[in-house]
Amino acid sequence: MEERLQKIIAQSGYTSRRKAEELITKGKVSVNGKVVRELGTKVKPSDEILVEGNIISNEPKEYYLLNKPRETISSASDDLGRKTIVDIIETNARIFPVGRLDYDTTGLILLTNDGDLTNILTHPNSRVPKTYLAKLDKVITMEHFFSIKNGLEIEGRKVGVSHIKIKKKDEKKGTCFVELTITEGRNHIIKKLFAKLGYDVTKLTRTHYAFLDLSSLLSGEYRTLTKREIVELYKYEEVGRHDRKNRKNGSSRSRNRLS
Ligand code: URA
């Protein structure tokens, strides 16, 4: 199938669609050895695309939803030779994780070779909701529960929590499970949130990513996304745009989900 050149460049993750258009008009892009400056140019999967001398992959897009097991790395490769989540997926496509989960965190993570979608979902303005179930080394006090609910500052920035619930308390063992939904993606953010109040997160699972949930996926299992799910995930581009527009117009309210 033929696609617009700027779309293919953005999908490869090389840069955004707007920057790709700039590069094309500046004459930095060639197709099969010929410089192309026309924005509407269509390319086939077999065409060789070079951007600033770098080969751009035009392979078909693949999308996977994995229930990440513990002790796996959320990257395409690891310097220490540890198992990566990319190793779990049986494909020859050059897929990579969308965002990351810690080595000891389990649960939902997307993998794809669609750089365009990855950029949309990982952009802070897209505000993709992510729900985690955290096991704590102590039973959380109500005071601490409400300070997280009201937005605790981590490294100078408040962490917005749109949902928080104590799922289980074991007074005898002195542990509890807390479920919470956040839209940001700073590294180790859940552990930092609880650590600030003196709790250790002894187990962490991401149970929901956007509208996707674990459903029947067991640890280490994965499935491909449906066309409809891919279309729905692309709608987070609109959320980001809406958010930017709101901030430009001085409105502090921003949507975090398309209904
Ligand atoms: N927050 C964390 O602390 N770890 C994760 O893996 C994800 C969110």
Side-chain angles (χ1 to χ4, degrees):
M1 199 179 82
E2 292 201 334
E3 293 274 18
R4 289 163 89 86
L5 185 53
Q6 58 266 43
K7 184 174 174 193
I8 295 296
I9 296 170
Q11 277 185 343
S12 75
Y14 187 86
T15 187
S16 68
R17 211 173 291 196
R18 199 153 39 83
K19 288 258 166 62
E21 288 176 358
E22 261 176 53
L23 291 169
I24 293 169
T25 48
K26 281 184 182 160
K28 304 271 170 115
V29 178
S30 69
V31 178
N32 301 327
K34 275 201 193 128
V35 171
V36 170
R37 290 172 192 265
E38 280 290 307
L39 286 182
T41 305
K42 299 251 174 115
V43 285
K44 300 188 289 298
S46 56
D47 288 334
E48 189 187 79
I49 303 162
L50 286 181
V51 179
E52 299 178 311
N54 301 296
I55 289 203
I56 294 298
S57 164
N58 193 6
E59 65 189 1
K61 298 300 163 229
E62 296 185 8
Y63 305 84
Y64 299 95
L65 182 65
L66 168 72
N67 182 354
K68 176 190 175 294
R70 275 171 92 95
E71 300 182 2
T72 49
I73 297 279
S74 298
S75 62
S77 63
D78 181 48
D79 294 344
L80 302 175
R82 289 170 296 184
K83 188 170 178 168
T84 76
I85 57 172
V86 170
D87 296 335
I88 298 175
I89 313 285
E90 287 172 32
T91 178
N92 291 325
R94 277 181 295 157
I95 56 167
F96 41 86
V98 177
R100 56 172 51 225
L101 290 176
D102 295 338
Y103 187 63
D104 57 353
T105 299
T106 60
L108 284 188
I109 188 156
L110 292 172
L111 297 104
T112 181
N113 53 354
D114 183 342
D116 204 11
L117 182 62
T118 302
N119 288 336
I120 291 168
L121 295 176
T122 54
H123 195 286
N125 286 350
S126 301
R127 305 174 65 77
V128 178
K130 295 165 272 272
T131 300
Y132 295 89
L133 185 64
K135 184 179 183 190
L136 306 184
D137 64 336
K138 291 186 270 298
V139 175
I140 193 167
T141 65
M142 286 326 280
E143 188 194 340
H144 288 158
F145 176 86
F146 281 108
S147 58
I148 292 177
K149 189 178 166 87
N150 294 333
L152 208 58
E153 260 195 20
I154 299 292
E155 289 150 11
R157 243 189 315 133
K158 252 192 184 185
V159 180
V161 174
S162 59
H163 158 86
I164 179 163
K165 189 175 182 186
I166 300 172
K167 292 293 272 190
K168 204 167 141 192
K169 270 190 210 175
D170 190 331
E171 302 279 358
K172 257 196 209 150
K173 286 191 186 145
T175 58
C176 72
F177 284 87
V178 180
E179 182 181 78
L180 67 172
T181 306
I182 59 173
T183 54
E184 68 156 272
R186 278 186 274 169
N187 282 348
H188 319 301
I189 195 66
I190 300 287
K191 289 175 188 166
K192 284 179 181 169
L193 202 58
F194 287 108
K196 182 155 186 186
L197 300 170
Y199 301 88
D200 234 12
V201 174
T202 57
K203 267 189 190 165
L204 186 61
T205 301
R206 184 151 74 188
T207 58
H208 296 76
Y209 183 91
F211 50 85
L212 300 162
D213 61 35
L214 277 171
S215 289
S216 57
L217 285 181
L218 300 175
S219 176
E221 286 187 344
Y222 62 90
R223 67 170 175 88
T224 53
L225 292 185
T226 64
K227 284 235 166 69
R228 194 184 152 81
E229 286 170 337
I230 296 162
V231 168
E232 285 301 310
L233 287 173
Y234 258 98
K235 288 186 183 170
Y236 279 94
E237 189 170 20
E238 296 299 317
V239 178
R241 236 184 256 139
H242 190 88
D243 199 73
R244 274 194 296 277
K245 209 163 113 196
N246 265 349
R247 273 193 275 127
K248 235 184 183 170
N249 295 339
S251 162
S252 59
R253 213 186 138 262
S254 56
R255 293 166 62 199
N256 61 6
R257 194 187 285 262
L258 284 175
S259 50

